[in-house]
Amino acid sequence: MLNDLEQVRPADIEKRSFEIITKELGDKELIPGTEPIVKRCIHTSADFDYADNLIFSDNVVERALRAIRNGASIVTDTQMAKAGINKKRLAQYGGEVYCFMSDEDVARMAKENGTTRASACMDKAAALYRDGRNGRMQKGEQERGLIFAIGNAPTALVRLYELINEGKLTPELIIAAPVGFVNVVQSKELILTLKDIPYIVAEGRKGGSNIAACICNSLLYML
């Protein structure tokens, strides 16, 4: 059985993995410019369904890369996604990664309003966004836009949808990839109805914090 193992140097494992993914995709047609994202999602999950269930808004990759170059920061709904995003690479362009799920004010806001913490996190992000637009952020990072990478909580997507329609938030990109069974599909469908907001949506029940993070990293590695 040991003799059946492919001999690959540690430095070449990822390269070899992508070669296998490309081979197994065969003649599958992917949207030009999205191939690195699709392949990295497959690499992260070993799930070839991502070749079919990732939905990209028009020119989303180009718009997302421009936002990152202009210093956009990323807001996630889990510490796991935050941990998985290449913060050093993002910092080269002036961006940071935020997750407010453990913040005491978020817990208090969620309790007072009868919402989930994930929903309250979106309200906190919107407040920071408005502060940035009004010039009150010390570093000014929020003036350069926010990318939302949601891999766990459909309530975060629902609140994002509401904040956008209330005119309180204009994301540079929404990565909609919560995983699960309750309101997951419906929340993603809300994001698909948004006009003029770039999005990458993992259609259906699949997704996760690892997928949200790997989409962010795919964009960072494309720069």
Side-chain angles (χ1 to χ4, degrees):
M1 187 174 291
L2 287 175
N3 291 333
D4 295 332
L5 293 175
E6 185 176 351
Q7 299 300 310
V8 184
R9 294 181 302 174
D12 293 333
I13 290 175
E14 182 174 293
K15 178 177 180 289
R16 179 68 181 120
S17 295
F18 276 90
E19 289 173 350
I20 293 171
I21 291 168
T22 299
K23 180 179 179 180
E24 293 196 18
L25 282 171
D27 296 331
K28 176 71 177 178
E29 291 188 10
L30 302 176
I31 299 171
T34 69
E35 298 94 341
I37 298 172
V38 173
K39 290 180 181 180
R40 189 161 292 276
C41 285
I42 295 171
H43 177 258
T44 295
S45 62
D47 188 344
F48 278 81
D49 282 355
Y50 284 104
D52 295 304
N53 70 4
L54 287 178
I55 302 177
F56 299 86
S57 63
D58 292 341
N59 302 315
V60 62
V61 173
E62 179 183 348
R63 295 175 69 177
L65 295 179
R66 185 186 310 120
I68 294 171
R69 288 192 188 97
N70 289 336
S73 289
I74 299 172
V75 176
T76 80
D77 64 331
T78 64
Q79 297 293 347
M80 183 184 294
K82 179 182 178 181
I85 295 171
N86 191 325
K87 290 168 282 294
K88 184 176 181 180
R89 180 71 67 95
L90 182 63
Q92 293 177 2
Y93 302 94
E96 298 183 46
V97 183
Y98 298 98
C99 178
F100 305 125
M101 286 293 288
S102 303
D103 293 5
E104 291 183 6
D105 58 338
V106 165
R108 185 171 57 253
M109 188 189 312
K111 185 175 181 180
E112 290 173 354
N113 296 333
T115 67
T116 65
R117 286 196 184 195
S119 178
C121 284
M122 301 302 103
D123 284 293
K124 181 167 183 175
L128 291 177
Y129 171 82
R130 292 193 296 273
D131 285 346
R133 291 289 294 266
N134 294 329
R136 293 196 294 269
M137 288 296 290
Q138 187 175 17
K139 291 184 179 180
E141 68 270 9
Q142 302 300 341
E143 295 179 55
R144 290 174 279 182
L146 291 177
I147 290 170
F148 288 85
I150 309 302
N152 182 68
T155 54
L157 289 184
V158 173
R159 187 58 185 143
L160 271 179
Y161 175 83
E162 293 172 342
L163 289 165
I164 291 166
N165 281 287
E166 292 167 7
K168 297 178 180 178
L169 187 62
T170 305
E172 299 291 336
L173 168 66
I174 297 175
I175 297 168
V179 60
F181 301 94
V182 179
N183 292 329
V184 167
V185 173
Q186 295 89 334
S187 67
K188 293 175 180 178
E189 289 175 349
L190 285 176
I191 301 304
L192 291 173
T193 68
L194 292 172
K195 307 297 183 184
D196 301 321
I197 301 292
Y199 57 72
I200 299 173
V201 176
E203 191 176 32
R205 294 172 170 176
K206 294 185 178 183
S209 296
N210 57 335
I211 294 298
C214 93
I215 292 174
C216 291
N217 288 336
S218 295
L219 292 166
L220 289 167
Y221 300 152
M222 291 168 73
L223 288 170

